[in-house]
Amino acid sequence: AQKVTQAQTEISVVEKEDVTLDCVYETRDTTYYLFWYKQPPSGELVFLIRRNSFDEQNEISGRYSWNFQKSTSSFNFTITASQVVDSAVYFCALSEHPSSGGSYIPTFGRGTSLIVHP
Amino acid sequence: EAQVTQNPRYLITVTGKKLTVTCSQNMNHEYMSWYRQDPGLGLRQIYYSMNVEVTDKGDVPEGYKVSRKEKRNFPLILESPSPNQTSLYFCASSLSGTQGEKLFFGSGTQLSVL
């Protein structure tokens, strides 16, 4: 069974600090997909990134970067020079590749609430 | 604009009074699903649908029903709501549901069952 652990329930930082959100996953599949979604205070869920299990390249998008390490089953998310607008709940999610044409049921972590103080 | 539309945004009801939360997507997506979000528990899938007339249980289906009569619509039905179904509900869709595509989410429905 697949599992996603976000051990940090809440992180509080001051603006301009760097912050890393941890995500550890468990799966028996060799083909799977990892995601990060952001939920700002307004409540909607916004897609940030998708990675498949064969692509271990780290990714950078502006102040956001993601470190995917299969050896440690981790997919961590770093925000550089955090801003108040980064305050949100961040979810890591895992989808296994379906077998026999079936669908996948993505598993979400419990989320990490990031609070960025001015 | 590509979107998933959920209604209503807020809903207060009483135990046992049947209700329906509507969900519609305009992206011609095959895959649609419903999640509930509870504090400390993250998002848990209730039901999903691969295509018209094809639905299946997620992790927490008890007390819920769904239907997929048209590709664009996927309503969530609570035939006899109970207080433990008080939660924030999200509808989501993706292109096929078979290739690990990203999910597009509706704006959420906050349900309170008294």
Side-chain angles (χ1 to χ4, degrees), chain B:
Chain B
E1 180 191 353
Q3 60 184 4
V4 178
T5 304
Q6 245 181 276
N7 282 297
R9 188 80 170 86
Y10 301 95
L11 181 55
I12 300 174
T13 190
V14 295
T15 299
K17 186 175 181 182
K18 181 179 178 179
L19 65 90
T20 300
V21 184
T22 63
C23 174
S24 179
Q25 51 92 7
N26 63 0
M27 295 169 278
N28 202 36
H29 284 172
E30 305 271 335
Y31 181 90
M32 297 185 75
S33 57
W34 276 102
Y35 292 84
R36 61 177 289 172
Q37 181 181 3
D38 302 291
L41 296 179
L43 287 151
R44 295 179 293 168
Q45 194 179 67
I46 303 170
Y47 268 95
Y48 66 95
S49 169
M50 292 289 288
N51 210 329
V52 176
E53 303 294 359
V54 180
T55 63
D56 210 343
K57 297 177 181 178
D59 295 325
V60 288
E62 295 76 22
Y64 303 95
K65 281 178 60 176
V66 292
S67 69
R68 188 94 181 270
K69 292 186 171 59
E70 303 165 287
K71 197 172 187 179
R72 63 184 291 125
N73 296 324
F74 191 45
L76 179 69
I77 303 156
L78 284 71
E79 298 225 318
S80 184
S82 62
N84 64 12
Q85 293 178 299
T86 292
S87 186
L88 177 59
Y89 291 87
F90 287 98
C91 180
S93 72
S94 67
L95 192 59
S96 72
T98 61
Q99 299 299 321
E101 308 105 351
K102 69 178 184 181
L103 290 168
F104 292 79
F105 285 91
S107 53
T109 296
Q110 180 65 59
L111 172 64
S112 295
V113 183
L114 306 177

Side-chain angles (χ1 to χ4, degrees), chain A residues 12-110:
Chain A
S12 184
V13 299
V14 177
E15 214 169 16
K16 298 184 183 176
E17 280 186 45
D18 297 347
V19 58
T20 296
L21 282 61
D22 298 332
C23 174
V24 174
Y25 62 92
E26 292 177 30
T27 178
R28 293 182 182 177
D29 275 11
T30 55
T31 303
Y32 52 89
Y33 306 91
L34 294 162
F35 305 82
W36 277 95
Y37 290 89
K38 174 182 180 179
Q39 186 177 41
S42 53
E44 74 271 24
L45 283 152
V46 179
F47 166 80
L48 293 178
I49 190 170
R50 170 186 181 267
R51 263 284 177 270
N52 72 54
S53 53
F54 298 109
D55 183 1
E56 278 195 83
Q57 276 191 324
N58 291 331
E59 175 136 351
I60 298 174
S61 176
R63 296 183 297 105
Y64 294 175
S65 63
W66 290 269
N67 184 356
F68 176 27
Q69 291 196 337
K70 288 176 77 170
S71 60
T72 56
S73 298
S74 64
F75 187 43
N76 297 336
F77 173 30
T78 297
I79 303 174
T80 303
S82 60
Q83 299 177 1
V84 173
V85 293
D86 296 326
S87 296
V89 179
Y90 291 87
F91 291 98
C92 181
L94 164 71
S95 294
E96 294 175 334
H97 194 276
S99 58
S100 305
S103 178
Y104 66 97
I105 298 181
T107 297
F108 283 78
R110 297 188 175 191

